[in-house]
Amino acid sequence: MSSVRTVDDESLAKARTIIGNGGLVVIPTDTVYGVACDPRNAKAIARIYEAKHRPRFKALQVLLASVDQLDELGLDLPAPLNRLAAQFLPGAFSPIAVAREDCDLATVNRARQGFATQGIRIPNSAVTLRILRQIGPLAASSANRSGEESAQTVEEAQASLGDAVDLYLNGGPTQGHVASTVVAANPLSRDGIDILREGVIPQSVIRRAIHLNGGGLGA
């Protein structure tokens, strides 16, 4: 039986134990509620797909507390995504990082353009960052059945996922149902990027930011 707890030291300790044991925890972010697990645990990741009825070809993001964690995870942000990340993170910006050979994340997508890649995000939410600092990086997807509207409250998340999740952390209503903007580097595309999903940050804002201060496509 799952439980709903407010975010405090006790519930975060419980969440950390659940994640460490391969369980699922729903957490608030700056956009919508997400269902999260250990990004290195393939069985836990499979539980997210099963709970959401999500197709396996749709990759999960990894939520971080800081860009400093990229290197320890074996991830690199190619240009111009590194420049965009400096402008939009923390926030509703999800760049696609490149996974190095030393990356042991079980969420890595190995189908894109011959590279191993991983979508990452640093939420602009004090509550979410507190959770991530206590637990560590988390694999995550929106806390709803695939095809349903994203959850803006913990009650909406619980109504959608029920006892498939071990713990729901209640951080109050999130800012909206619109998800983050997902961007990949592609030197053959306009401005050196592909907008894979337009979300909170409009495509026009992303493209304009690439050229701020005469940056062009450089690092």
Side-chain angles (χ1 to χ4, degrees):
M1 179 71 71
S2 62
S3 61
V4 180
R5 304 280 296 274
T6 58
V7 180
D8 55 27
D9 289 342
E10 185 178 346
S11 65
L12 288 176
K14 181 178 178 66
R16 186 166 55 248
T17 299
I18 289 171
I19 294 294
N21 290 332
L24 305 185
V25 176
V26 160
I27 66 172
T29 76
D30 54 345
T31 54
V32 298
Y33 272 78
V35 56
C37 73
D38 179 353
R40 295 181 174 90
N41 188 323
K43 290 184 178 179
I45 290 163
R47 285 188 61 190
I48 288 184
Y49 281 98
E50 182 179 356
K52 286 176 55 72
H53 296 179
R54 181 179 176 86
R56 286 304 298 250
F57 68 85
K58 293 186 175 182
L60 302 184
Q61 290 185 344
V62 171
L63 302 182
L64 312 174
S66 167
V67 290
D68 295 336
Q69 294 176 311
L70 283 170
D71 186 60
E72 65 189 62
L73 292 175
L75 300 174
D76 295 313
L77 279 181
L81 299 185
N82 49 3
R83 295 186 66 250
L84 291 173
Q87 296 179 66
F88 293 113
L89 291 179
F93 175 67
S94 297
I96 304 297
V98 175
R100 303 192 304 260
E101 290 186 3
D102 59 328
C103 178
D104 61 354
L105 297 176
T107 47
V108 167
N109 180 1
R110 302 189 181 279
R112 182 176 169 78
Q113 298 179 347
F115 295 100
T117 60
Q118 175 61 60
I120 64 101
R121 195 159 85 81
I122 303 170
N124 188 19
S125 161
V127 173
T128 314
L129 293 176
R130 179 184 178 188
I131 293 168
L132 293 169
R133 290 186 187 109
Q134 288 288 322
I135 300 175
L138 294 172
S141 181
S142 58
N144 56 273
R145 292 286 185 94
S146 188
E148 293 181 356
E149 192 171 55
S150 302
Q152 195 174 351
T153 65
V154 74
E155 291 81 9
E156 290 174 355
Q158 190 175 31
S160 183
L161 299 179
D163 287 338
V165 172
D166 302 292
L167 174 65
Y168 291 81
L169 292 178
N170 187 1
T174 61
Q175 294 182 14
H177 289 291
V178 182
S180 61
T181 299
V182 181
V183 184
N186 183 350
L188 301 180
S189 294
R190 175 190 167 195
D191 297 322
I193 61 170
D194 289 330
I195 307 289
L196 303 184
R197 181 182 73 194
E198 187 171 21
V200 173
I201 306 173
Q203 178 175 171
S204 59
V205 173
I206 295 288
R207 294 192 182 281
R208 185 164 59 248
I210 291 174
H211 301 286
L212 286 179
N213 302 317
L217 301 182

